[in-house]
Amino acid sequence: MALQGNRNLSIEAQGNDVFSSKHDDDGRLKRTGTWVTASAHIVTAVIGSGVLSLAWAVSQLGWIAGPSILMVFSVITFFTSFLLTDCYRYPDPVHGMRNHNYMEMVKNILGGMQYRFCGLAQYGNLVGISIGYTITATISMVAIKRSNCFRKYGHEAECHESNYPFMIIFAVVQILLSQIPDFHELSGLSVVAAVMSFGYSSIGIGLSIAKIAGGNHVKTRLTGLIVGEDVTSQQKLWNTFQAIGNIAFAYAFSVVIVEIQDTLKSSPPENQAMKKATLTGVTITTLFYMSCGLLGYGAFGNKAPGNFLTGFGFYEPYWLVDLGNAFIVVHLVGAYQVFAQPVFLLVENWCGKRWEESKFMAKEYPVRIPMVGIFKVNAFRVIWRTVYVIFTTVIAMILPFFNSIVGLLGAFSFWPLTVYFPTEMYLTQAKVPKFSMIWTGMKLLSGFCLIVTLIAAAGSIQGIIVDLKTYKPFKSI
């Protein structure tokens, strides 16, 4: 049905002579993205709050398992992302009809009920990431204020601060930015956010190197935390599971990969440009992750904090730590929008089709903004997107647990969106024979990753349960 609708759109557009310099082969406005802008979107999406927990994750796993699991997730993400890029057009990867989003791709290639499962996994995860980014940005804002308190009163001062005023500030900013109409207009925001991610990752790496060079040797082990000394055997098991979830979350960008590819112009073919962008994005990400995770573990050892820029393993120099946290906040302001836009557009497109004649849905009002120009405002868009930001903020206030939430998000998104659907769609589109070597290998990969997902989810849920036992809502930290 979706493919037929796309053809009708193209035929109608051709009949109206809209295939001008302003339109693509499907009748939609011409896309202008390149592999460079797509790489910026990927880096913005991937090098996010996940990087901050990698030192802690490696401390749970140790020098052998830590980098090994990081590399395994990197290779799997890279491989399955390549498979997804060839499914953007169907049935032919170069000349077929476009799939404009992940859910549409699954519906056209796999059909049946699988696209509903995809929608539940994708959009549920997008909402979860919005919540996670709200928590992370808030923690960094609080860390800046606490850093100033420590500078004034000393490292032993309690310096309690409440998260909630900062969550409200972050929400207000997101309400304003959420009025950006669609994903195609986020390139500038993504470039700024990508620069910020390089900034705070580099600061974290630099501070770790300085701490190691200072000669203050810390305890590290090939297997991470020591059972009976650092943790109990049960804590070691659950922390290991949660660490795997944290690493999975750090590589979570498959959830928006189709939407990113849909910003690319038609020449060169989108799959070629996207493969180049994916190679660039995943390579850069892996280098940063290895550096942050391993150097962070080398600096803090088995006492590595859950968030290595806000856990105050670093106190000096205060201005540099504050700058790193400021970079995190700016980055997550942009990253929130990258992940929220598909949710916004899903609801708006559905409501637009449901109430086609409604002026409330369709009418836009021009608003002049000084030094920006004319900005078109739609009443439904303002209300719906404001409600969404408020919802994610309230949930973040209720469950402000960084490592556990990060691990749970990674667990829920990794198998279905990064592995299962890409491999199934590739097997279908390429018409790979059942029980062939390629078919068997894909199925084994999917089964292995399902087990990893269940393990990571179990560890993160256990972590949330433990956190809830001592959590007091609306209290300062």
Side-chain angles (χ1 to χ4, degrees), residues 112-324:
M113 292 294 293
Q114 295 215 48
Y115 83 98
R116 297 187 184 276
F117 170 49
C118 170
L120 180 64
Q122 181 187 12
Y123 290 99
N125 186 253
L126 287 170
V127 174
I129 290 174
S130 298
I131 296 167
Y133 280 4
T134 301
I135 294 171
T136 310
T138 301
I139 290 173
S140 289
M141 286 189 279
V142 169
I144 293 173
K145 192 167 183 180
R146 294 185 71 205
S147 174
N148 293 329
C149 175
F150 288 133
R151 177 171 54 191
K152 186 175 181 180
Y153 298 108
H155 296 178
E156 303 304 319
E158 293 185 352
C159 294
H160 291 298
E161 295 290 343
S162 174
N163 283 356
Y164 305 109
F166 296 95
M167 284 190 178
I168 293 171
I169 293 171
F170 185 79
V172 170
V173 173
Q174 292 303 336
I175 287 171
L176 295 174
L177 289 177
S178 67
Q179 300 313 309
I180 296 174
D182 57 47
F183 206 92
H184 302 282
E185 299 182 33
L186 288 177
S187 294
L189 193 60
S190 284
V191 170
V192 172
V195 171
M196 294 298 102
S197 66
F198 281 120
Y200 67 72
S201 298
S202 299
I203 288 172
I205 291 170
L207 290 172
S208 296
I209 292 173
K211 190 175 179 68
I212 294 170
N216 185 16
H217 298 292
V218 294
K219 181 170 59 179
T220 63
R221 292 290 185 274
L222 290 177
T223 56
L225 269 63
I226 302 171
V227 174
E229 184 175 335
D230 298 312
V231 289
T232 65
S233 58
Q234 187 178 27
Q235 288 174 327
K236 173 74 172 180
L237 179 65
W238 288 120
N239 286 356
T240 298
F241 290 170
Q242 189 175 324
I244 294 172
N246 280 203
I247 294 174
F249 176 77
Y251 279 103
F253 83 98
S254 295
V255 69
V256 291
I257 189 171
V258 182
E259 284 78 0
I260 292 174
Q261 190 167 352
D262 195 44
T263 67
L264 295 173
K265 56 186 179 182
S266 301
S267 180
E270 299 92 347
N271 63 333
Q272 293 180 18
M274 195 62 190
K275 285 177 181 178
K276 191 174 181 180
T278 300
L279 175 61
T280 302
V282 174
T283 300
I284 292 172
T285 298
T286 301
L287 290 174
F288 269 87
Y289 283 3
M290 283 291 185
S291 300
C292 289
L294 300 184
L295 290 173
Y297 182 43
F300 297 116
N302 293 345
K303 302 297 183 183
N307 181 324
F308 81 156
L309 278 180
T310 63
F312 289 98
F314 301 119
Y315 286 94
E316 303 285 354
Y318 284 104
W319 67 270
L320 190 58
V321 176
D322 287 351
L323 183 63

Side-chain angles (χ1 to χ4, degrees), residues 415 419-421 423-424 440-451:
W415 176 71
V419 181
Y420 174 74
F421 285 118
T423 55
E424 289 298 311
T440 303
M442 295 281 191
K443 294 293 183 179
L444 288 174
L445 174 65
S446 183
F448 166 76
C449 292
L450 175 59
I451 293 171

